[in-house]
């Protein structure tokens, strides 16, 4: 059986729905510190679970006979800058608990999300390679870089089958933005429909790696279903999809809402965004486990506006 820790979050919500449709809802146990949206809560078993409580995680794993764990709980970049020690404790202790359960053979396989936030100001900005200089300058990026090191250590030292992807900014319509720097690209669709105007907290030319959620879910399932022998990267795989800036996503929205306008008022998140790459080289993921993204910026804009318009 599968346990998703952080199932009420942006990725967790959609990952749970996808895995339940694929394996049957009784095979997929959702868990989080707080309840999720109505669809999540009505679609299968749910446990209130603190990702920092080892005994509580072990209890859920034993009771539900869990074999695979997707650890999706984390504090994202913007919020982590406000609460550094809370972010470090949540992002790291939750990972150690799951890695140690696997080391003690209580679970068989782990998915753990890393992020393009592991790259820093000294990393090459375009077509960022799989292996390169990584000096992250954010709390979130430091926690993800350290987590990658520990995943590789537990694989090499104890044979733990933990698999990881460096997600770009993810765009989805089923959950509200959750404290990420890339979440302007989710918020902009809501504000376009509600006010036909958006005050953007990043500058117009801030290009960032992004991806529509369906592509990210597909990549997550692909890497977890790949043969262990196909996984040659045991820290975390680069994953690429789209790269765009606020100006470009605005132009995409204006194809549907011609009067939509944007204004720029950069805040503390501009410095976070400026420390990250603009585009990513994901050759290794394409080679090792057949990854390729599908949804373009204009397709994503069509999907987002179509699925959100009834709320406004
Ligand atoms: C954030 N959405 O903005 C996350 C992600 C690459 C960014 O890790 O913090």
């Amino acid at each position: 059986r599968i346990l998703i820790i952080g199932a009420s979050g942006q990725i967790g919500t959609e990952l749970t729905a996808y895995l339940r449709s694929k394996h049957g809802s009784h095979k997929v146990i959702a868990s989080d510190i707080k309840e999720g949206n109505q669809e999540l809560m009505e679609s299968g078993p749910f446990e209130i679970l603190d990702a920092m409580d080892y005994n509580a995680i072990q209890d859920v794993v034993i009771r539900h006979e869990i074999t695979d764990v997707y650890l999706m709980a984390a504090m994202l970049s913007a919020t982590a800058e406000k609460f550094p020690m809370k972010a470090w404790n949540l992002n790291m202790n939750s990972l150690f608990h799951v890695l140690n359960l696997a080391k003690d053979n209580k679970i068989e396989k782990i998915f753990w999300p890393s992020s393009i936030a592991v790259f820093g100001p000294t990393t090459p900005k375009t077509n960022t390679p799989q292996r390169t200089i990584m000096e992250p300058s954010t709390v979130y990026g430091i926690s993800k870089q350290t987590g990658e090191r520990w995943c590789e250590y537990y694989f090499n030292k104890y044979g733990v089958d933990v698999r990881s992807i460096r997600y770009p900014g993810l765009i989805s319509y089923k959950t509200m933005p959750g404290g990420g720097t890339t979440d302007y690209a989710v918020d902009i669709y809501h504000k376009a429909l509600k006010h036909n105007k958006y005050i953007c907290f990043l500058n117009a030319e801030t290009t960032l790696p992004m991806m529509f959620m369906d592509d990210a879910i597909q990549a997550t399932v692909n890497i977890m279903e790949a043969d262990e022998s196909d996984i040659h990267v045991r820290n975390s795989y680069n994953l690429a999809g789209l790269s765009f800036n606020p100006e470009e996503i605005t132009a995409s929205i204006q194809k549907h809402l011609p009067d939509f306008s944007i204004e720029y008022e950069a805040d503390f998140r501009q410095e976070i965004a400026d420390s990250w790459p603009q585009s990513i080289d994901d050759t290794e993921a394409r080679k090792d486990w057949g990854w390729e993204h599908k949804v373009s910026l204009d397709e994503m804009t069509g999907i987002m506006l179509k699925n959100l318009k009834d709320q406004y």
Side-chain angles (χ1 to χ4, degrees), residues 94-257:
S94 57
L95 176 59
F96 280 123
H97 293 340
V98 174
L99 286 173
N100 286 326
L101 281 168
K103 172 173 164 268
D104 299 342
N105 297 311
K106 289 172 181 158
I107 53 177
E108 294 168 16
K109 204 191 281 187
I110 300 168
F111 178 80
W112 179 75
S114 183
S115 161
I116 56 115
V118 295
F119 300 118
T122 54
T123 304
K125 286 271 181 218
T126 55
N127 259 337
T128 303
Q130 175 68 47
R131 285 178 187 79
T132 183
I133 300 163
M134 296 163 70
E135 297 173 325
S137 52
T138 64
V139 171
Y140 177 70
I142 294 165
S143 77
K144 288 299 183 183
Q145 183 186 35
T146 315
E148 289 189 7
R149 301 282 95 241
W150 281 111
C151 288
E152 192 170 65
Y153 182 87
Y154 269 71
F155 172 74
N156 289 328
K157 191 95 175 176
Y158 309 118
V160 168
D161 186 3
V162 50
R163 305 177 187 197
S164 181
I165 283 173
R166 289 169 182 159
Y167 287 126
L170 300 183
I171 317 294
S172 60
Y173 56 84
K174 290 185 181 166
T175 52
M176 286 308 281
T181 299
T182 59
D183 288 336
Y184 88 86
V186 177
D187 211 14
I188 193 168
Y189 291 111
H190 289 267
K191 296 293 189 310
L193 290 164
K194 192 171 182 179
H195 303 307
N196 213 14
K197 178 178 173 186
Y198 180 55
I199 313 288
C200 187
F201 56 74
L202 297 181
N203 293 327
E205 61 288 337
T206 310
T207 299
L208 288 170
M210 298 280 195
M211 184 178 289
F212 184 57
M213 182 61 76
D214 289 5
D215 276 330
I217 298 299
Q218 195 51 59
T220 308
V221 173
N222 288 5
I223 192 172
M224 285 297 271
E225 291 184 348
D227 290 344
E228 194 163 353
S229 57
D230 290 337
I231 308 291
H232 304 117
V233 169
R234 285 291 181 170
N235 50 336
S236 188
Y237 278 92
N238 277 6
L239 196 70
L242 310 172
S243 281
F244 58 78
N245 60 37
E247 218 164 41
E248 290 160 332
I249 190 172
T250 293
S252 178
I253 291 170
Q254 286 168 338
K255 292 176 185 169
H256 299 260
L257 304 168

Side-chain angles (χ1 to χ4, degrees), residues 274-310:
D274 288 342
S275 75
W276 291 346
Q278 296 180 348
S279 62
I280 302 289
D281 174 358
D282 60 359
T283 306
E284 301 268 322
R286 292 172 185 269
K287 184 166 54 68
D288 288 1
W289 39 274
W291 158 246
E292 58 177 324
H293 91 278
K294 292 188 177 62
V295 180
S296 70
L297 173 56
D298 282 341
E299 285 165 346
M300 178 170 77
T301 296
I303 295 167
M304 291 295 284
L305 294 175
K306 175 167 157 285
N307 285 281
L308 291 174
K309 68 179 187 309
D310 298 343

Side-chain angles (χ1 to χ4, degrees), residues 36-104:
N37 67 19
Q38 188 176 351
E39 181 195 349
L40 177 79
M41 301 310 288
E42 290 176 353
S43 62
F46 183 91
E47 295 274 358
I48 290 287
L49 177 60
D50 177 351
M52 292 191 282
D53 181 341
Y54 180 83
N55 293 325
I57 298 172
Q58 183 176 240
D59 168 56
V60 170
V61 163
I62 293 167
R63 249 185 316 115
H64 290 280
E65 298 171 345
I66 300 297
T67 54
D68 296 20
V69 174
Y70 291 73
L71 174 53
M72 309 311 285
M75 194 182 288
L76 297 185
S77 60
T79 314
E81 290 306 302
K82 293 177 184 161
F83 308 104
M85 285 302 106
K86 270 183 79 174
W88 178 260
N89 289 333
L90 170 60
N91 295 4
M92 299 316 298
N93 293 335
S94 57
L95 176 59
F96 280 123
H97 293 340
V98 174
L99 286 173
N100 286 326
L101 281 168
K103 172 173 164 268
D104 299 342

